[in-house]
Amino acid sequence: CTCKSWSELIGSSSFVSTHLHRNVPKHAHVYLLCLHHPNFECVVDLDDPYPEEELQWSLFSNETFEQCSKLCHPLGSTKFFVIYGSSNGLVCISDEILNFDSPIHIWNPSVRKLRTPPMSTNINIKFSCIALQFGFHPWVNDYKAVRMMRNNKGALAVEVYSLRTDSWKMIEAIPPWLKCTWQHHKGTFFNGVAYHIIEKGPIFSIMSFDLGSEEFEEFIAPDAICGPWGLCIDVYKEQICLLFKCYGFEEEGMDKIDLWVLQEKRWTQLCPFIFPLDYYYLTLGISIYNKLLMLRRDDVMGIADLHLC
């Protein structure tokens, strides 16, 4: 009797909403999701020209980087999968190399439940997938996935999946500035909007797509951004930001990462992060506590460390 009533309570939409509003602002139960070697060591047979790399997904502490829990493929498959977004404990996974028929899974590792969206009837073998993103849209109170594809003539197609309706919708209105040749780079998802770094000739810009209003917008990147290497897009203090590693810093023995935030549809440059040039650093993004997450790598010693700055 008690089990039934509790089950109805925690399964209700009002309980879920109250739980999220209570825990998400406090950043309760936040983890870092990492792909790593099982024993944190890369064992390579130099005599094997085609080694099979064994890798493992795990949850780590967001502050201490200590391993908390190992994750297995929810379908019991040994096939490698890639995480294309996470929100409120839900994780979107799919194939490493995306295709028009790549299965997409929305997974809750905490309760070990899985939702597999149906295959879309809008696409066919003429389409190849470019990007997949997933997140929660607060204004429509729904989890959504968006994928961008190109057909055999190079035209762009955008399709949105709704977890609430368990269905796909093709976006018909593609703006003219996207109907050209461009290259896709990194992306992020924030507050119901998917953001992508795109390169059109010598120009870099940020393409945004609101999954609620289904509207596109373009923001030209700052002039200082001249290439995709060392370029990262993320969220800093509730604002979309660009991080760009500037090579050739004027101060000897030092390097820097420039930071811009998008404020009222304009880029505002903030104070750069300057650090010693003793190892190779790779910018991974911004943590939920607005700290810079970097990978510090020593290729000579074969050592890599995560740093919060």
Side-chain angles (χ1 to χ4, degrees):
C1 179
T2 303
C3 181
K4 183 178 179 180
S5 62
W6 283 11
S7 178
E8 292 176 351
L9 172 65
I10 65 175
S12 65
S13 59
S14 59
F15 182 91
V16 172
S17 179
T18 302
H19 172 71
L20 290 178
H21 280 92
R22 179 182 176 183
N23 286 282
V24 170
K26 296 188 297 183
H27 303 313
H29 315 297
V30 173
Y31 296 94
L32 192 66
L33 201 54
C34 292
L35 180 70
H36 62 91
H37 296 279
N39 297 318
F40 303 99
E41 293 183 359
C42 179
V43 180
V44 178
D45 184 359
L46 298 178
D47 296 327
D48 186 359
Y50 304 105
E52 290 189 7
E53 199 172 27
E54 187 177 346
L55 299 171
Q56 166 76 49
W57 283 103
S58 293
L59 293 177
F60 291 80
S61 165
N62 196 47
E63 286 292 330
T64 65
F65 299 145
E66 292 181 359
Q67 188 178 16
C68 301
S69 176
K70 294 181 180 180
L71 299 179
C72 298
H73 195 291
L75 296 176
S77 171
T78 57
K79 185 178 180 182
F80 177 66
F81 63 91
V82 172
I83 294 167
Y84 289 95
S86 66
S87 183
N88 300 336
L90 297 185
V91 180
C92 178
I93 64 174
S94 189
D95 294 340
E96 181 179 12
I97 300 176
L98 292 172
N99 205 342
F100 74 97
D101 59 350
S102 295
I104 298 171
H105 307 290
I106 298 173
W107 175 36
N108 188 331
S110 299
V111 298
R112 300 177 183 177
K113 289 188 177 182
L114 187 76
R115 169 77 67 86
T116 301
M119 291 295 295
S120 171
T121 58
N122 302 320
I123 59 175
N124 53 47
I125 200 168
K126 296 178 182 179
F127 284 98
S128 60
C129 198
I130 303 173
L132 172 65
Q133 286 180 289
F134 169 82
F136 179 69
H137 199 302
W139 308 117
V140 297
N141 193 29
D142 192 10
Y143 293 87
K144 297 195 175 221
V146 55
R147 60 180 170 189
M148 297 193 303
M149 299 162 287
R150 286 195 185 278
N151 62 17
N152 55 359
K153 295 182 180 179
L156 178 69
V158 178
E159 197 174 28
V160 175
Y161 169 77
S162 165
L163 185 65
R164 182 196 298 163
T165 63
D166 193 29
S167 62
W168 290 94
K169 178 183 179 181
M170 184 69 80
I171 305 301
E172 303 293 342
I174 304 296
W177 52 268
L178 275 177
K179 296 178 180 179
C180 62
T181 302
W182 50 270
Q183 186 176 356
H184 171 265
H185 294 291
K186 298 177 181 179
T188 191
F189 194 100
F190 174 63
N191 212 22
V193 181
Y195 295 88
H196 297 269
I197 299 174
I198 62 175
E199 181 182 359
K200 297 190 289 186
I203 299 175
F204 285 84
S205 63
I206 308 304
M207 176 194 70
S208 73
F209 176 67
D210 190 316
L211 276 72
S213 64
E214 299 179 352
E215 294 179 348
F216 293 88
E217 202 164 358
E218 183 180 27
F219 307 97
I220 304 299
D223 293 338
I225 295 176
C226 53
W229 302 110
L231 179 59
C232 180
I233 183 170
D234 215 312
V235 179
Y236 177 69
K237 294 186 177 180
E238 300 293 308
Q239 298 171 106
I240 289 295
C241 74
L242 288 175
L243 297 157
F244 184 62
K245 186 175 180 180
C246 181
Y247 295 94
F249 186 50
E250 60 269 13
E251 189 173 340
E252 186 176 353
M254 304 297 286
D255 208 344
K256 75 167 182 172
I257 295 174
D258 286 319
L259 171 65
W260 293 267
V261 294
L262 190 61
Q263 296 178 331
E264 297 180 353
K265 302 185 179 184
R266 296 175 64 89
W267 295 107
T268 300
Q269 188 168 11
L270 304 183
C271 183
F273 176 66
I274 301 172
F275 55 95
L277 190 61
D278 52 353
Y279 293 97
Y280 174 74
Y281 283 87
L282 177 66
T283 307
L284 299 182
I286 303 289
S287 79
I288 200 166
Y289 299 107
N290 298 309
K291 294 181 180 180
L292 184 63
L293 183 62
M294 299 181 70
L295 180 71
R296 178 176 177 266
R297 196 170 74 197
D298 184 348
D299 291 330
V300 177
M301 299 297 294
I303 299 172
D305 297 304
L306 283 176
H307 286 257
L308 278 175
C309 311

